[in-house]
Amino acid sequence: MSPHPIIAMWSHPRSMSTAIERIMRERGDLDCLHEPFMYDYYVHRQVRRMPHFDVQKDHPTSYGAIRDMILERAEKGPVFFKDMSYYVMPHLLDDSDFAGRLTNVFLVRDPIASIPSYHKLDPDLTLEEIGLEAQAVHFDALEAGGDIPPVISAEDVRADTEGVIGALWQRIGLPHVARAFEWQREAPKDWAQVGGWHGDVSSAKGIRPISGEEIAAQQRKFDALAEKAPHLRGYLDHHRPFHRHLAARALRPREVM
């Protein structure tokens, strides 16, 4: 019997990753985990304190223990988890057995939108926590090893949710499940540990389309914020090349049958 797949979606904060996770949960055929490796970064190694994080005492905290928990759950059925590359880089790349079990997916969003959204919840965010640099390093290392993971863009998902996610599912070998795009289930219980981060998506019933006015407003919102927090311009300038690098690889929507 072949091992069950482990699908890992590597994202960055405020990239719409929780909404994509919600779609994957609504499929009903995947055991889904919400950022399990944040426990290694924020609890075990204590790189810094994460606000709005209610630590669950029974959750494994070290990288090895979290990895083993994922592998154990994958013995029972297919697993999906979403996480941040900066939680696991570079030690994931040294763990060839586990890395070889993963079906990797990358999600990116324009940092001009993700940075203000993150800053609103955590004004002390660090350059590393913007997350796109670690994603690019992660992606490039996988590509150099012969694995070229699919990339999806948050803006593309909002423009054509079922088309882009359908293309992703086709790429990674999942059947199309139309009901996953209209959320009927209650918000997952394991989101409660980081409830302050996911208020909108917890109550939403699907992903809403993006408008031209919203895109234009993102620049104005960032400029206004950068007047008060000038260092964020440096964060943006640093991460934009990494975003462009990954976004250029983004999947195109497929025709939905």
Side-chain angles (χ1 to χ4, degrees), residues 21 31 39 99 166 198:
E21 178 193 330
D31 179 11
Y39 277 80
H198 305 311

mmCIF file of all heavy atoms in Angstrom, residues 21 31 39 99 166 198:
data_model
loop_
_atom_site.group_PDB
_atom_site.id
_atom_site.type_symbol
_atom_site.label_atom_id
_atom_site.label_comp_id
_atom_site.label_asym_id
_atom_site.label_seq_id
_atom_site.Cartn_x
_atom_site.Cartn_y
_atom_site.Cartn_z
ATOM 1 N N GLU A 21 -6.916 27.279 2.917
ATOM 2 C CA GLU A 21 -7.049 26.152 3.840
ATOM 3 C C GLU A 21 -8.517 25.809 4.048
ATOM 4 O O GLU A 21 -8.893 24.630 4.105
ATOM 5 C CB GLU A 21 -6.392 26.492 5.176
ATOM 6 C CG GLU A 21 -6.513 25.400 6.225
ATOM 7 C CD GLU A 21 -6.134 25.868 7.618
ATOM 8 O OE1 GLU A 21 -5.281 26.778 7.743
ATOM 9 O OE2 GLU A 21 -6.695 25.331 8.589
ATOM 10 N N ASP A 31 -7.223 15.406 5.923
ATOM 11 C CA ASP A 31 -6.987 15.737 7.326
ATOM 12 C C ASP A 31 -6.151 17.022 7.327
ATOM 13 O O ASP A 31 -4.995 17.002 6.906
ATOM 14 C CB ASP A 31 -6.245 14.590 8.005
ATOM 15 C CG ASP A 31 -5.929 14.864 9.464
ATOM 16 O OD1 ASP A 31 -6.461 15.843 10.030
ATOM 17 O OD2 ASP A 31 -5.124 14.099 10.047
ATOM 18 N N TYR A 39 4.538 26.336 16.131
ATOM 19 C CA TYR A 39 4.895 25.982 17.502
ATOM 20 C C TYR A 39 6.403 25.856 17.667
ATOM 21 O O TYR A 39 6.944 26.171 18.724
ATOM 22 C CB TYR A 39 4.190 24.688 17.914
ATOM 23 C CG TYR A 39 2.780 24.919 18.392
ATOM 24 C CD1 TYR A 39 1.736 25.088 17.485
ATOM 25 C CD2 TYR A 39 2.486 24.998 19.750
ATOM 26 C CE1 TYR A 39 0.433 25.310 17.909
ATOM 27 C CE2 TYR A 39 1.188 25.216 20.197
ATOM 28 C CZ TYR A 39 0.171 25.380 19.270
ATOM 29 O OH TYR A 39 -1.116 25.610 19.704
ATOM 30 N N ALA A 99 11.078 15.729 3.792
ATOM 31 C CA ALA A 99 10.888 16.609 2.633
ATOM 32 C C ALA A 99 10.456 15.821 1.409
ATOM 33 O O ALA A 99 9.636 16.292 0.608
ATOM 34 C CB ALA A 99 12.173 17.386 2.350
ATOM 35 N N GLY A 166 -8.938 24.847 -9.147
ATOM 36 C CA GLY A 166 -9.117 23.663 -9.995
ATOM 37 C C GLY A 166 -7.839 23.292 -10.716
ATOM 38 O O GLY A 166 -7.489 22.106 -10.836
ATOM 39 N N HIS A 198 -8.000 35.546 12.250
ATOM 40 C CA HIS A 198 -8.829 34.977 11.194
ATOM 41 C C HIS A 198 -10.321 35.294 11.343
ATOM 42 O O HIS A 198 -11.162 34.502 10.943
ATOM 43 C CB HIS A 198 -8.640 33.454 11.162
ATOM 44 C CG HIS A 198 -7.209 33.041 11.029
ATOM 45 N ND1 HIS A 198 -6.365 33.564 10.076
ATOM 46 C CD2 HIS A 198 -6.456 32.164 11.741
ATOM 47 C CE1 HIS A 198 -5.167 33.023 10.201
ATOM 48 N NE2 HIS A 198 -5.187 32.187 11.208
#
